[in-house]
Amino acid sequence: MKFLKFLFVGIFFGIVLVKSEAVSWYRIFEMFKFQSFHMYGIIGSAVFLGVLGVWLIKKFKVHSTEGKEIFLPPKDKSFARYMLGGTIFGLGWALAGACPGPMYILLGTGVFTMLILIAAALLGTFVYGILRNKLPH
């Protein structure tokens, strides 16, 4: 019962993404062909709100629901790893027509072929976990 609020937030988020056409394969295709600003506007507003939220958390020293201060450790600075990871993620997104969040939303809307993509994403995450110590970080 204590996780019910997260379920409702997830359902609401899914409805918003479906209604804004952010999970539409055609919108994603338009984005990767630089034919429409629609998805860039959605992603850009999400990045802006994320930056604003992190800034507010740091400025006002926000505490978690357990009363602990939220600490955001600094990220490792490495241009190559982010370029390589972003390229692999972007290629997967372009080939699949959906990034990880919308895959579950599309499954919920009845696109059952997303099960293949979800299985492949989980397999890729599992393989990365096995190979992580052998990869250059």
Side-chain angles (χ1 to χ4, degrees):
M1 288 296 280
K2 70 179 191 177
F3 296 114
L4 207 55
K5 60 185 172 190
F6 299 110
L7 176 67
F8 288 130
V9 168
I11 290 170
F12 176 74
F13 183 62
I15 291 169
V16 168
L17 286 181
V18 168
K19 293 296 183 181
S20 68
E21 296 182 357
V23 296
S24 167
W25 184 87
Y26 299 105
R27 288 290 187 184
I28 294 168
F29 186 70
E30 282 179 338
M31 177 185 71
F32 282 110
K33 290 183 71 178
F34 301 104
Q35 293 177 335
S36 174
F37 181 75
H38 185 86
M39 291 295 288
Y40 293 110
I42 291 172
I43 294 168
S45 63
V47 169
F48 173 75
L49 288 174
V51 168
L52 179 65
V54 169
W55 179 76
L56 289 171
I57 287 170
K58 287 181 177 181
K59 179 170 175 57
F60 294 109
K61 300 190 185 317
V62 177
H63 291 80
S64 69
T65 56
E66 290 87 27
K68 296 179 184 176
E69 186 175 329
I70 296 174
F71 174 71
L72 302 169
K75 294 183 73 89
D76 294 334
K77 305 283 191 244
S78 172
F79 182 75
R81 72 192 288 189
Y82 292 116
M83 286 302 293
L84 180 61
T87 301
I88 293 170
F89 182 84
L91 287 172
W93 189 7
L95 289 171
C99 65
M103 287 190 310
Y104 293 98
I105 296 166
L106 288 167
L107 179 63
T109 61
V111 182
F112 295 110
T113 54
M114 285 295 135
L115 285 171
I116 297 168
L117 292 176
I118 292 169
L122 291 173
L123 178 66
T125 303
F126 179 72
V127 169
Y128 173 76
I130 291 172
L131 299 177
R132 186 175 191 273
N133 294 333
K134 295 175 177 77
L135 297 171
H137 283 93

